[in-house]
Structures are given as structure tokens and as C-alpha cells.
Amino acid sequence: MREAWTLAGLAALAVLKLWPIVTPVSGSRLYLGGDFGLAVEPYFYHQLKHGILPLWDPTLGTGSPFLGSGTHHPMFLQAHLHLFYPLNVLILGLFERGQHIPHLVLQYHHLLHYAMAGAFTYLYARQLGLGRFAGSVSGIAFMFSGFLLAHVYHWTIVDTIVWLPAILACVVRADATGRPLWGALGGLAMGVAFLAGHPQIFYHVTLFAGALGLTLILRRAIWGERWGARAMVLLLVPLIAAGVSAVQLVPSWEMGVASHRAGLGYDWKTSGSLVPAYLAQALLPWGLLSVGGWRSTVSEHYLYPGVLPLVLAIHALGRRWDWRVGFHAAAGFAAVLLAFGDHYGLYRPAYDLLPGLALFRIPARFVGLAGFALAVLAGIGAEALATGPRPRRFARGVRRLALVAAAGVAPLVLILVWAQPQPNADDVQNVASQYLILVLLLAGSALVVAWPGRTRPIGLASLTLIVLAADLVFGSYPVTDTSRNPDVRPAREQEWVAAITRTPGPLRLSRADRIHPQTIYRYGWGVVDGESTFAPPAFLDLYALSREHPQLQDLLNVRYVLPPGSGRPGPPAKPAGPMRLWPGAVRRLDVPPGGGATRQVEIHSHLVHGLDVPQGQVVATVHVVTADGVVAAAPLRAGIETAEWALDRPGSRAAHGRPPIARSWTVAEGYPGHTYRVTVELPRGPRPAQVVLEGGAGPAVLVVERLAVDGAAAWPPAPEPERLRQVTVGLYENVRALPRAFLVRRARTVPAAQLLDQLRDLDPGEEVLITGPVPAGWAAAPRPGAGALPPVRVAAYAPERVALETEVAEPVVLVLSDTFDPRWRAWNNGQPVPSVRADHALRAVFLSPGRHHVEFRYRQPSVFVGVAVTVATLAILGAACVVAWRRGRRGPAA
């Protein structure tokens, strides 16, 4: 019963600290922002209730595997890694109604985890042999440690690390008793920690638990005790953890190792290292919040442990050491060193030697382990204070430190007076406020360590808890307002949604962070941005190119744009530079009205990589198309109409001659480069409407600086009409966006190393780029003057199934602007057909003339393997429990 009262007291303190977000008085309630938002959960649990396990997320870019992958930024930074977390399934799934979970439910869910942090740490301290008073000190110190408070907006981080003390308690108990039950419970707790959804923090938890288990085994070996059986029991922890978490672990590993994030280098992985100067926060109750220039990094670098916990931990270190003090001191010190990242070069050996560490960034998050170790040491120090002799020298030192700090109040007042007219007066005032709090807390700590009574420790316990509460509950990192009520949709968002939903069919949005994620999932809109390092790497490549080449945004079916702020989206369009025509490529140019009646085409061009092209070889063909489809063709030949730009490079010999020069320039090496001019006479007839340039065979790339028909320039083109039409305030429609699925006549095979470079010059409505050969028997015969291809009808569009219908009179390529993934399989009229990677990141199917019903279906075997392993593990654990229970019942009868 006393244990229950202690745990209830810890929970009450959690309520007191987090009262602003859990108060039933809605008018004064604060709402947490940052990562703390419900986006995918309502959709996922709604699907589960209808017997559907989502496997594909169509809202992330051009689509992404659902489990173990996606994250939307900057809407809410949460990957889909916590959806099987039992407390999420139980609490969030229970309150899901109509694809909506009230935000307040998540805030109470968060409160529960802070209470769990205190309770589990208390139980771990008890397993270490500490009393209720010392265990309460440890529980409070960890529950309100700087790491947990600063990450109040990162709910998966909090949900994961709170399981650390539960795992450690089971490990210690398993070592003490040798019973497999405790190893199994530790494995269950570790598996749940992974399911809580933050792999990096879980990795830290695993390191700490592994270090503790290894310490316990080595301790037995050093003392000559039998350790083999204990090692086997402790081995149950990782084995059962892997089995329990397999439902999420298997797909997460599959996605993680293939993600863009996994391939980033050491410099990116060490971004977010703890700056050594930030250790000053150990004595600043509000930490970085006090200095304006540091506020942006507060959540990752805040490490205030509390003055009294720090004093008690130092007292524990100054006492006689045992394995508990030594282990937690070493673990805490190692965590701080790792948190420094690359500042002292100590992180590199760990990065190279520790398996899996290279997958994560922000080394500063190791301060979570340091805060936990210090909380345990504070409990050990409190136990020594309550049961041991009076620490006279230590108390004298703390008292003197408090007096020295108090002596600094007078000069502090002078500094405040001086700072009033200064521009950073607020920062100085904040630091001064913290200094005053520090003085008071040092005075309280001095009273605690100098407490005279040891025979009746109730007074010491009461004073200690009062100082702890004043420090960590009322004086440390505040829970502040960060957002409006996310359950209330702004009128502007409702207006945007009403406008977008009038567009039929699947579509995508750009910069859609101004629309709530629940709305995104409800309508299944894709969100095209490049902030997510969990998105498929090929999509991120394509997105990066689309920032400078708008035709690729058209390819990605970006139908609507919501720019930040109130201005128009994106920077002004850059003037068109030279056009590159790759071998075999096609570019279609509109001929502007006007010009004379000479019927001629003037072209200024040169070749790149064309020194070896022989004289007279056709490097491109110019097709001039009239309004009624009549086509006239003229070749561009090396050495006659165009030539290599670097004919005069010293030491080079071109295989062709020099045509008339249109423009020359001098390159850095000192020799001239040239662009060449040719005029092609056209037959008299109807007015030209288009010019189609078709690249020839060979290695040369044709660079066109100018192309004019009868004096009217087709390239560089005149400034195009605005591609973004304003629909309403803050919402623009891309009038040139291609449909989600469309047809093209050409498929061009390019080397994989050149694919991204050639995508810059792609006309996505004319051709598709692939890296492999076209299927056998498929041969397109496109005509420059051919009419438009028929549309593709979207018969069904679901996350794991897309059905398309079309009828064509010629061989074509059907392009679906969804992410290519080998787990997507294609069927045409019921027969399996190859699904080809198109334009680096998308899907395509080759079609012959006729009527077609094309289906894409997604299957991810790793998900079902993970589900099977988790179900089998839980079944084995359940059977073991039943067997143990029956044996327990038979025991007394015997």
C-alpha cells in the first residue's frame, strides 16, 4: 500500500507540472505543437477498425511504404513508427471516431508517460536496494529532467525513453533471481520501447540496458560466481524484444537502410552535437530559454538536472563506491562525451565501432541517458544522506557555495541597472531571474545536506521533496503555449479544402503545411516537399530538380500550391538559357505568331562531346509542323549546320569542319568557344505552328541558343503565361500540371549515370526516360505531327491498388506519377506485365494498340513476416505464462 501511495504521489506531481495542457478548463488550456500532433493515427486506426492494414502511404510525395517510413514536414515530424505501440492502439485507437482523435486525448496520453517515467524509475531504484524516499527522489529527478521537459513537444521521444528504467528493473531482477520470467518481462518492455516509435532513443535505451547486463555478468565473473545461467536469462531480453517488436522492426529496418537518411555522411550525422558551452545550463533552471540566440536549439540541448539532484549525485560520488555508483557514473559520463558529438573527436570511434550508430543524427540526444544516470545517482545520494553519518565537510562546501552565490546578488543588481537601456535587456533580465532562483535552490540544498536529524528522517524527506518540487516542478523548464487548438480548423483552411475538393481525381499539393495533416489523410492528397529524409530517395532527387525546372512539377501532378506567407509562390522565373538536346531526345516548341513570309528557320547551336562525330553525320533533325499537321524536316549535320564548340582547343582535332560562326567567347583556359549559325529554307505553304527537335544517334549533345521561324523566336521562348492561377487567397492552381496517369509515344533509354542530368531537359509530355531496354516486341513509331493521345481514366485509386483504363491506336507508354517500388506489381487485362522505373522515380507500363485495363497492386512481404513473428512470440509468451500458472496451482496441492 505504501508503494501505491508513493506512485500516486509521483503521478500527482506529473499532473501539477503538466497542468496547463491537461486542465479541464478549456479556456485556459495550452495545446502542444511541434511533433506533438495527430496526423496519421486517426487514419491508421480507422483502417484497422475496418479490417485493413495500410501498407502504402499515397500522401508522402509520390507515395511511400507506410510502415517504417513516411513523415510529413514541416506539418508534424512523426514517422509512421509508433502505430503498433500498445498504449497508442489502446488509448488513441479507442478514441478514434470518424478519422478523428481529439488532441486533448493525446495530451492526457503524454501526461501518462511522464507519470510512467517517475514510477518506473522509482521501481528501478527499489530494485537497486534504495528505500522509498531515495526511490522517490530518483523518480522525480528523471521525470522532470531537462531532457524529458525539453522534449515535451516530441512525444515519441518521451514515449520511448520512459521504458528505460522498466527494462533496467527487469534486468536487475533477472540477475538477482535467475528466473526467466524477469528476462521475459524485460524483453517485453524493450519490445514495447521500440514500438513507442523513436528508433534513435530506442538505440540509446538498448545501449544502456546492454551495458547494465554486461556489467552484472562481469561482476559475477570477477567474484567467481556462476554466471552462465544468468547470461542465458538476460539473453532473453533482446530475443523477446526482437520478437515482440518484429511487426514494426522488420519493415522499419527494410525501409531505414534504403532511405536517403541512411546514406548521408558523418558531417550530417553529427549535426546537433552538444556545444560544450551549453553545459552551463546545468545551473540555469530555464536553460537556453534565457538567451534569445539559443532558443532555437533548446529542445535538443537543454540538460538542466535540478540543483538538488546535482548536489545529491555529487554526494553519492563522494561516498564509498559500489557497482551501482560506478556503473551509473560511468554511463552518465560516457553519455555526455557522446553528446558532444564531433566537438572533441571522441564521437568518431563510436560512430565507426558501434553497429547502428551511423543511422542517427543529433548526438546531443545522448543527454537523455546522462539525465537518467544522474537521477539514479541522486537517489543513491539521498539514501546515503538519510541513513549514513552526517556529511559535515560536504554540507560545509554546499553552504559556502550558496553564500558565494548569494554574494553575487549585489553586483547582479548593478548589471541589471546597466542593462536596462541595452538592446538585450530581456536576456540579461532572464539570466538574472535564473540566478536568483539558483541562489534560493542552493540555500535549500544546503539545508537538506546539513539536516541534523537522522533518527527520524521524515523531516529530511519532507524538506528534500519540497526543494525538489520547488526546483523541478515550479522553477525549471516551463510548459508554454505553442499552438492554437488543432481540433479547430481555421476558416481559411476550410476555404482551401472546399476549392481543392472540386477538382476530381487524385492530385498533389506543394507546401501543404498550412493544411492540417488529418485533412491530408482524409482526402488522400499527396504532399510534395523535400524536407522528409524518410521519403523514397528517388523522389527526393526528382523533387530537388523540380525546384528549378517547373516542368518536373507538372510531371509530379502538383495541382495546387500553398506558398508560405501572403506572397506569390516561388521566386520569379529565371530567363531560359540554352536548350540541350540529348541523343534521341525530343523537344516540341511553339512558334509564336508574326514574322515575315520568308519561310526559313534560323538556328544558333553547337555540340558538346562532339569532337569525334564525323563530317556530315546527322546530330539532330528539325521538324517544322503546320497547323494542319504537314511536316517538313531538315537535318542538322556536324561540320555543316553545327559543330563542336571547342574546335580551337589546343591539342584537339575534330573529325568535322567549322560552319559559319554566330557567336564566340573566350574560356578560362584562353582559347575561344563558338556557336554556329545556319538558315534552313522551308517550302511555301501553311503557317508553321510548331518545331520539333529530335536528337540523333551518337554521343554529341546539341545545345541550341536560338531558334527562330521567319524571324519569330521559338527559343528562347517568350515569357510563358503564368502557370499558377490564384484560386483564392493563399491558394494557387498549376494549370499545366499533368494528370496522375498519362500517355507518351516515346521511351528513351539513357545511362543511369546521366539520368538526373537529362531529366533537367525532359519534356515529360513527349517522352519518358528509362535505364533499361524497352520490352521485346514494343516499337513506337511517333510522328512529329501526330495529334494528342487519348486520356487515361482512373477507374480506382486506393493506397495499395490503382486501376487505369485507356484505349489507344498505336504503341504508347502509360506513365503513372507514383513512386516506383519493386513491390508494386502490374497487370494488363488480367495478365502480369513488367512495371518499369520511369523518369528516375515513377512507374510506367508499355502498351500495344487496343483497349487496356491496367492494375497496380502493392504487397510488402516484410510486414507480414513481422506480424507473424510478433504473433508467434506473444503466443509463446502466453503459453509459457499458462504453463507457469498451472504449475503454481499444482505446487500447493502436491
Side-chain angles (χ1 to χ4, degrees):
M1 179 59 71
R2 290 183 178 180
E3 304 284 2
W5 278 111
T6 302
L7 297 177
L10 292 172
L13 287 176
V15 172
L16 195 60
K17 181 67 178 180
L18 300 181
W19 183 252
I21 68 171
V22 298
T23 172
V25 183
S26 59
S28 60
R29 185 182 303 129
L30 305 181
Y31 296 94
L32 295 176
D35 296 3
F36 200 95
L38 289 161
V40 63
E41 298 80 12
Y43 169 80
F44 182 77
Y45 297 129
H46 179 81
Q47 297 296 315
L48 283 185
K49 288 179 178 179
H50 289 79
I52 301 171
L53 177 61
L55 300 178
W56 186 261
D57 184 356
T59 72
L60 184 68
T62 51
S64 175
F66 198 97
L67 297 172
S69 186
T71 179
H72 280 297
H73 179 79
M75 291 185 296
F76 291 107
L77 287 169
Q78 48 185 18
H80 306 170
L81 301 173
H82 61 276
L83 298 172
F84 290 110
Y85 180 44
L87 292 180
N88 284 358
V89 176
L90 179 64
I91 300 173
L92 304 184
L94 181 65
F95 282 92
E96 184 276 325
R97 295 290 186 278
Q99 249 181 272
H100 175 71
I101 300 172
H103 189 80
L104 184 60
V105 172
L106 187 53
Q107 301 204 146
Y108 273 94
H109 174 282
H110 214 38
L111 167 66
L112 172 63
H113 282 79
Y114 275 87
M116 288 166 53
F120 287 158
T121 306
Y122 171 81
L123 295 175
Y124 174 56
R126 295 288 282 155
Q127 290 300 317
L128 292 177
L130 302 183
R132 284 190 295 273
F133 162 60
S136 300
V137 170
S138 291
I140 295 171
F142 181 58
M143 182 166 54
F144 302 134
S145 62
F147 182 83
L148 279 178
L149 290 180
H151 285 283
V152 69
Y153 314 113
H154 301 160
W155 63 301
T156 56
I157 288 181
V158 173
D159 287 6
T160 303
I161 200 169
V162 299
W163 289 94
L164 170 61
I167 300 167
L168 302 182
C170 293
V171 168
V172 171
R173 188 68 174 169
D175 174 74
T177 64
R179 296 179 60 187
L181 169 65
W182 292 105
L185 288 177
L188 186 63
M190 181 176 283
V192 170
F194 179 83
L195 296 176
H198 203 282
Q200 180 182 17
I201 301 304
F202 173 76
Y203 183 82
H204 296 177
V205 167
T206 303
L207 285 180
F208 202 103
L212 176 62
L214 185 61
T215 298
L216 294 174
I217 295 301
L218 289 177
R219 178 170 169 263
R220 288 187 174 276
I222 290 172
W223 286 99
E225 300 178 7
R226 294 184 177 180
W227 56 271
R230 294 296 198 276
M232 296 302 297
V233 171
L234 293 181
L235 190 60
L236 289 174
V237 175
L239 292 177
I240 292 177
V244 168
S245 62
V247 64
Q248 184 68 70
L249 177 62
V250 175
S252 295
W253 178 260
E254 180 185 29
M255 296 299 103
V257 296
S259 69
H260 172 70
R261 172 183 292 243
L264 295 175
Y266 178 76
D267 290 340
W268 187 83
K269 296 295 178 62
T270 53
S271 63
S273 297
L274 179 65
V275 179
Y278 287 0
L279 287 178
Q281 293 177 99
L283 298 175
L284 295 176
W286 304 338
L288 301 182
L289 286 178
S290 64
V291 182
W294 290 359
R295 289 173 187 158
S296 61
T297 58
V298 61
S299 65
E300 302 295 357
H301 295 154
Y302 181 74
L303 45 76
Y304 177 69
V307 173
L308 182 56
L310 185 60
V311 169
L312 293 175
I314 294 173
H315 178 53
L317 295 175
R319 303 280 296 176
R320 176 184 172 187
W321 279 38
D322 56 19
W323 77 267
R324 302 173 305 173
V325 175
F327 170 76
H328 292 94
F333 183 69
V336 172
L337 293 181
L338 290 172
F340 285 145
D342 202 37
H343 285 297
Y344 293 122
L346 300 175
Y347 192 76
R348 187 74 205 210
Y351 182 88
D352 293 332
L353 296 176
L354 288 178
L357 183 60
L359 292 174
F360 308 111
R361 66 186 184 100
I362 311 183
R365 289 175 178 168
F366 272 103
V367 300
L369 298 184
F372 174 76
L374 189 141
V376 176
L377 289 174
I380 296 174
E383 182 86 352
L385 200 63
T387 60
R390 294 179 60 184
R392 298 181 184 275
R393 294 180 58 186
F394 182 69
R396 190 181 307 118
V398 175
R399 185 166 58 249
R400 288 175 177 174
L401 181 62
L403 291 174
V404 170
V409 172
L412 182 64
V413 173
L414 297 177
I415 294 175
L416 284 174
V417 173
W418 168 83
Q420 287 308 308
Q422 305 300 323
N424 60 341
D426 289 343
D427 286 347
V428 175
Q429 186 173 353
N430 284 334
V431 173
S433 300
Q434 293 194 81
Y435 187 83
L436 292 176
I437 294 175
L438 174 63
V439 171
L440 294 175
L441 292 175
L442 280 173
S445 301
L447 286 176
V448 169
V449 297
W451 188 257
R454 290 293 183 270
T455 56
R456 301 186 63 185
I458 185 65
L460 172 65
S462 300
L463 179 61
T464 301
L465 296 178
I466 289 172
V467 175
L468 273 177
D471 187 352
L472 298 178
V473 178
F474 299 105
S476 63
Y477 190 94
V479 178
T480 57
D481 183 14
T482 60
S483 71
R484 59 177 173 81
N485 183 354
D487 291 336
V488 178
R489 301 291 189 269
R492 182 66 66 194
E493 178 183 320
Q494 297 177 29
E495 183 180 349
W496 293 335
V497 171
I500 296 172
T501 52
R502 287 196 289 268
T503 301
L507 56 88
R508 295 194 175 101
L509 317 174
S510 179
R511 301 294 299 177
D513 54 294
R514 300 168 71 188
I515 296 181
H516 196 279
Q518 289 189 28
T519 303
I520 297 294
Y521 278 101
R522 182 172 295 115
Y523 292 101
W525 297 328
V527 177
V528 174
D529 65 44
E531 302 294 339
S532 171
T533 53
F534 287 101
F539 158 73
L540 294 176
D541 294 337
L542 206 56
Y543 170 78
L545 288 177
S546 73
R547 301 297 300 273
E548 295 184 1
H549 304 278
Q551 77 274 11
L552 295 180
Q553 291 194 12
D554 303 340
L555 171 64
L556 296 178
N557 187 225
V558 178
R559 188 65 181 272
Y560 290 96
V561 177
L562 293 99
S566 57
R568 295 190 67 82
K574 296 186 299 186
M579 174 181 65
R580 296 185 301 175
L581 187 71
W582 294 81
V586 175
R587 290 295 296 270
R588 188 179 298 271
L589 307 176
D590 292 327
V591 177
T598 57
R599 295 297 188 267
Q600 61 181 211
V601 178
E602 181 180 346
I603 303 174
H604 297 181
S605 67
H606 62 260
L607 298 178
V608 177
H609 309 305
L611 286 172
D612 296 329
V613 177
Q615 177 76 11
Q617 178 173 320
V618 176
V619 295
T621 303
V622 181
H623 304 274
V624 181
V625 184
T626 64
D628 57 2
V630 177
V631 180
L636 294 181
R637 296 162 294 183
I640 302 175
E641 287 84 16
T642 190
E644 168 66 26
W645 72 275
L647 284 179
D648 295 329
R649 176 184 295 163
S652 65
R653 295 184 61 185
H656 55 260
R658 184 197 308 270
I661 295 175
R663 182 178 71 91
S664 298
W665 67 93
T666 302
V667 299
E669 288 82 355
Y671 63 89
H674 309 293
T675 290
Y676 309 95
R677 179 181 65 250
V678 65
T679 300
V680 179
E681 299 294 333
L682 301 177
R684 297 283 178 171
R687 175 71 189 164
Q690 291 181 327
V691 174
V692 179
L693 294 174
E694 182 177 9
V701 178
L702 180 71
V703 179
V704 178
E705 291 188 352
R706 173 176 168 79
L707 190 153
V709 179
D710 297 339
W715 190 271
E720 65 178 9
E722 190 67 50
R723 67 169 56 233
L724 297 177
R725 178 182 67 87
Q726 186 168 5
V727 178
T728 184
V729 177
L731 177 67
Y732 296 81
E733 181 181 7
N734 180 10
V735 297
R736 299 184 61 176
L738 291 169
R740 183 62 60 91
F742 57 93
L743 303 175
V744 296
R745 290 187 170 93
R746 288 178 176 267
R748 180 158 55 94
T749 301
V750 301
Q754 295 182 6
L755 183 57
L756 289 176
D757 199 23
Q758 296 204 32
L759 277 169
R760 303 172 189 271
D761 306 292
L762 175 70
D763 185 345
E766 290 290 327
E767 60 179 350
V768 63
L769 303 186
I770 60 176
T771 55
V774 300
W778 188 91
R783 305 183 308 278
L789 287 167
V792 177
R793 189 177 77 86
V794 180
Y797 196 92
E800 288 90 34
R801 176 179 174 270
V802 178
L804 308 169
E805 295 178 346
T806 190
E807 185 173 4
V808 293
E810 58 185 305
V812 295
V813 185
L814 186 156
V815 179
L816 176 65
S817 62
D818 284 1
T819 300
F820 174 84
D821 189 298
R823 288 162 291 225
W824 277 100
R825 303 297 176 86
W827 281 260
N828 182 15
N829 295 329
Q831 299 298 316
V833 293
S835 176
V836 179
R837 183 189 294 272
D839 296 335
H840 183 61
L842 310 178
R843 292 178 235 155
V845 170
F846 289 81
L847 303 179
S848 58
R851 186 188 299 271
H852 299 275
H853 178 87
V854 178
E855 281 196 24
F856 293 91
R857 303 172 194 164
Y858 182 76
R859 293 293 182 269
Q860 189 175 353
S862 63
V863 173
F864 300 102
V865 170
V867 170
V869 171
T870 295
V871 170
T873 302
L874 294 177
I876 293 173
L877 289 177
C881 290
V882 170
V883 171
W885 176 72
R886 288 183 174 178
R887 287 180 177 176
R889 292 193 64 185
R890 286 197 301 266

